[in-house]
Amino acid sequence: MALPVKLDSTSRTLADLGVSLPDRITALFADLRAEFDREAVGVRDESSWRVFRDAWLGRKSGVLTRVSDNWLKPATPALKRAVGAALNELRAHVEATVQARRTALDDLAAQVAAGRDRVDLSLPGVHRPVGSAHLITQTFREIERIFLSLGYSVVEGPEIETPYYNFEALNIPEHHPARDTMDTFYIAPPPVGAAPPGLLLRTHTSPMQIHTMETQQPPVRIIVPGKVYRRDNPDATHSFMFHQIEGLAVDTDITFCDFKGTIDYLVKQFFGPTVRTRLRPSYFPFTEPSAEVDASCTACDGAGCRVCKFSGWIELFGAGMVDPAVYGFVNYDAKRLSGFAFGLGIDRFAMLKYGMHDIQVLFQNDARFLRQFR
Ligand code: PHE
């Protein structure tokens, strides 16, 4: 490849090149300019632009510096004017073009970036599925709403309890047979032969009856939603963890009628206005009298079917009037006060309302099942 004219001619003086007449000057500069314009076209990115700029404008060894040093400075007085004028003209052209190439490159880069960042409004959006509350949470909220409308407050309590709150203060002393139905998980077993009690997972929400009455004077109207635990083997109707809502109302003039009316209102609100309730005698150490609340079968409306084992009734939950012995544990005046309490199984309520036969599906987290209850 032939040496470009700029490398060749500009490193020599005009005398060396044999130039002595002004008209040859014009041709020399025209060649340089043509070479420059050719190179300018080849500048495609920032790094080649830098090489290009330095080759022509570099102070030490750029083409224009060489022209100035080799052509202009040693030129004869006869040529100096023409060389100076031509050099100025070339310099103006080179500077303007180098700057223009830079501007063009910047514009191009901005265009490319804008194209990359452009939002395509025709693309499908990011689909974020909207979740919903678990059926158990929904059932909690529904029952809370019913009791809030009756003037009750919602309180929560610890899942880890002492035997005193879970049993003793509820009138279930250590060797009471009622403890057999409420075996639980012990977190800190009582040290052998020592007095301090262990910690256990509560078997019911009833301990909150005690906590509430210890800290609050009547009138008391509370419900307590929460998790409870029992040492049960899982099957269609048992789970080692399930959910309850405790209810407690204590005041100076609460009667069995209030108890019945409240229970009936709750059941009708939750299961529907045609559902009837009945009370069957039962036993809990912390209520007297105690009752098992039944509802007319939600599947057959009391006619008798497989769901209600052809009895027309379904057992719903345990309840009763607060046993005066319990007031003794919380320093309430048993002569002046009366009240009722109940413990609803939330899982059972949800299963009955929606016709489910296996409690385990509530805890398996299969979204296909859970999605049905949005
Ligand atoms: N705590 C009892 C249970 O879990 C239910 C209950 C609560 C009964 C309140 C009477 C009064 O079995």
Side-chain angles (χ1 to χ4, degrees):
M1 200 174 91
L3 268 179
V5 61
K6 63 175 183 187
L7 295 184
D8 182 32
S9 62
T10 59
S11 24
R12 296 153 73 189
T13 62
L14 293 176
D16 282 350
L17 294 167
V19 174
S20 53
L21 296 171
D23 52 341
R24 281 286 312 279
I25 300 295
T26 314
L28 266 179
F29 275 94
D31 283 351
L32 266 188
R33 186 176 170 131
E35 168 66 18
F36 171 81
D37 288 344
R38 248 194 319 278
E39 285 188 21
V41 173
V43 174
R44 291 261 147 71
D45 55 30
E46 199 183 317
S47 69
S48 66
W49 175 83
R50 279 183 203 287
V51 172
F52 170 64
R53 177 197 59 187
D54 295 345
W56 288 87
L57 292 171
R59 255 181 226 296
K60 268 196 153 159
S61 56
V63 175
L64 294 185
T65 299
R66 291 204 304 276
V67 169
S68 175
D69 290 349
N70 301 330
W71 291 3
L72 182 62
K73 283 177 189 159
T76 58
L79 291 178
K80 205 149 203 157
R81 245 185 108 81
V83 173
L87 178 55
N88 281 343
E89 201 189 310
L90 179 63
R91 184 184 301 282
H93 176 66
V94 166
E95 283 173 351
T97 304
V98 164
Q99 186 53 49
R101 287 307 293 156
R102 179 64 205 230
T103 307
L105 283 175
D106 288 350
D107 289 353
L108 191 70
Q111 262 178 41
V112 169
R116 210 173 30 229
D117 296 346
R118 207 180 73 222
V119 176
D120 183 349
L121 296 175
S122 70
L123 286 172
V126 179
H127 180 66
R128 296 182 204 279
V130 178
S132 59
H134 191 279
L135 178 58
I136 291 296
T137 305
Q138 291 180 38
T139 308
F140 267 135
R141 287 181 188 160
E142 201 176 338
I143 295 173
E144 286 163 17
R145 186 186 53 76
I146 294 167
F147 280 102
L148 285 169
S149 78
L150 290 174
Y152 283 66
S153 316
V154 181
V155 297
E156 287 182 299
E159 290 170 25
I160 296 174
E161 274 293 3
T162 61
Y164 177 78
Y165 286 101
N166 198 77
F167 295 124
E168 270 104 80
L170 287 162
N171 205 27
I172 315 174
E174 178 140 21
H175 298 293
H176 197 286
R179 288 211 187 186
D180 294 349
T181 63
M182 289 193 175
D183 196 7
T184 185
F185 301 94
Y186 286 84
I187 290 164
V192 182
L199 292 174
L200 51 78
L201 294 183
R202 65 180 179 189
T203 59
H204 49 180
T205 41
S206 301
M208 273 308 284
Q209 289 190 31
I210 306 302
H211 286 297
T212 305
M213 289 190 282
E214 275 183 347
T215 53
Q216 188 185 322
Q217 286 304 305
V220 168
R221 276 196 304 270
I222 54 147
I223 57 166
V224 187
K227 288 186 172 71
V228 300
Y229 302 84
R230 285 184 201 180
R231 193 180 160 278
D232 279 331
N233 288 318
D235 63 23
T237 55
H238 292 83
S239 167
F240 53 82
M241 186 281 301
F242 57 103
H243 303 85
Q244 285 188 337
I245 288 187
E246 190 81 6
L248 175 68
V250 180
D251 206 343
T252 49
D253 51 6
I254 290 188
T255 67
F256 200 86
C257 256
D258 298 318
F259 168 53
K260 258 191 97 169
T262 305
I263 292 305
D264 195 65
Y265 179 76
L266 158 72
V267 171
K268 284 185 163 57
Q269 286 284 309
F270 187 81
F271 289 106
T274 60
V275 176
R276 300 167 303 284
T277 53
R278 76 174 184 187
L279 302 179
R280 265 184 304 117
S282 184
Y283 175 78
F284 297 100
F286 39 95
T287 46
E288 180 60 35
S290 300
E292 218 53 66
V293 178
D294 292 348
S296 56
C297 180
T298 47
C300 65
D301 196 25
C305 68
R306 274 183 26 208
V307 175
C308 60
K309 300 200 185 84
F310 299 96
S311 72
W313 296 92
I314 288 177
E315 185 180 314
L316 275 188
F317 59 91
M321 301 303 287
V322 177
D323 192 312
V326 173
Y327 295 135
F329 286 95
V330 296
N331 286 321
Y332 268 24
D333 184 350
K335 288 201 182 64
R336 213 170 49 85
L337 297 168
S338 58
F340 58 83
F342 52 85
L344 317 177
I346 298 310
D347 318 80
R348 184 164 171 73
F349 264 54
M351 287 168 73
L352 283 172
K353 182 159 180 167
Y354 297 103
M356 292 152 47
H357 305 296
D358 184 358
I359 191 175
Q360 303 299 331
V361 295
L362 291 170
F363 311 126
Q364 284 160 350
N365 266 342
D366 185 333
R368 292 169 302 177
F369 166 75
L370 296 172
R371 255 199 295 271
Q372 299 176 92
F373 308 99
R374 300 242 263 219

